[in-house]
Amino acid sequence: MSENNEPSVWEGFKAFLMRGNVIDLAVAVVIGAAFTNIVNAVVEGVINPIVGAFGTQDLNKYSYCLKGSCTPGSEDSIEIMWGSIISAAISFLITAAVVYFLMVLPMAKYLARQAAKKAEKEGTQEVLEVTELEVLKEIRDSLVAQRGSGHTEP
């Protein structure tokens, strides 16, 4: 530590790395990279052949020529590769759907069940507390009644 009791940059970095969030994030990145390969394989192996039934099997070959001949090797052409955009959009939609249905939705249901259990447990505790409060009131009323019948108030 430095003289003014502030942690050094190295100590701060070390504390940052030792938090569980960094490890969780690293695992998520690795799994995400592996998952991207699966999604790309599905797009290339399933989606592109289905699209190929209506046209070319490679979505990346769909394009529009704005200027020039758009033949390979021509330098004065401007070509818009809209097939690449469609392929990327399909990959994104598949990834988003799988993440939502296999990760987000089950986790939301799990958290909702946990919240319901917690609310139920707290509701039961409130009932017990109310019951205890009622018992204490009855004891008090009983003591007041005993005091009133056997003793006169001054």
Side-chain angles (χ1 to χ4, degrees):
M1 293 223 170
S2 62
E3 293 176 15
N4 57 6
N5 291 333
E6 291 183 17
S8 69
V9 174
W10 174 250
E11 289 172 346
F13 182 67
K14 183 177 160 186
F16 171 73
L17 288 179
M18 297 310 283
R19 281 192 230 151
N21 297 347
V22 174
I23 294 170
D24 293 342
L25 182 61
V27 169
V29 168
V30 170
I31 290 175
F35 186 68
T36 300
N37 290 334
I38 293 171
V39 171
N40 288 338
V42 168
V43 169
E44 291 174 13
V46 176
I47 304 297
N48 284 352
I50 291 172
V51 172
F54 302 104
T56 181
Q57 202 169 26
D58 186 7
L59 285 175
N60 295 329
K61 291 184 180 176
Y62 285 106
S63 64
Y64 180 76
C65 190
L66 285 179
K67 178 182 173 187
S69 63
C70 291
T71 57
S74 65
E75 296 177 13
D76 63 341
S77 63
I78 298 175
E79 186 175 17
I80 302 218
M81 304 294 291
W82 59 273
S84 300
I85 296 169
I86 292 175
S87 180
I90 290 171
S91 294
F92 172 77
L93 288 174
I94 291 172
T95 303
V98 169
V99 166
Y100 180 76
F101 290 113
L102 294 182
M103 295 176 193
V104 174
L105 192 60
M107 182 57 80
K109 287 182 179 181
Y110 171 76
L111 292 175
R113 280 194 308 264
Q114 293 298 337
K117 285 181 183 178
K118 183 177 179 183
E120 182 181 317
K121 187 182 249 185
E122 289 175 356
T124 304
Q125 287 176 349
E126 287 177 12
V127 169
L128 291 176
E129 290 173 7
V130 169
T131 305
E132 290 174 10
L133 183 60
E134 290 175 357
V135 169
L136 289 173
K137 285 180 181 179
E138 289 176 14
I139 293 171
R140 179 201 63 202
D141 293 343
S142 172
L143 290 173
V144 168
Q146 284 178 357
R147 183 183 292 164
S149 64
H151 302 300
T152 58
E153 295 281 331

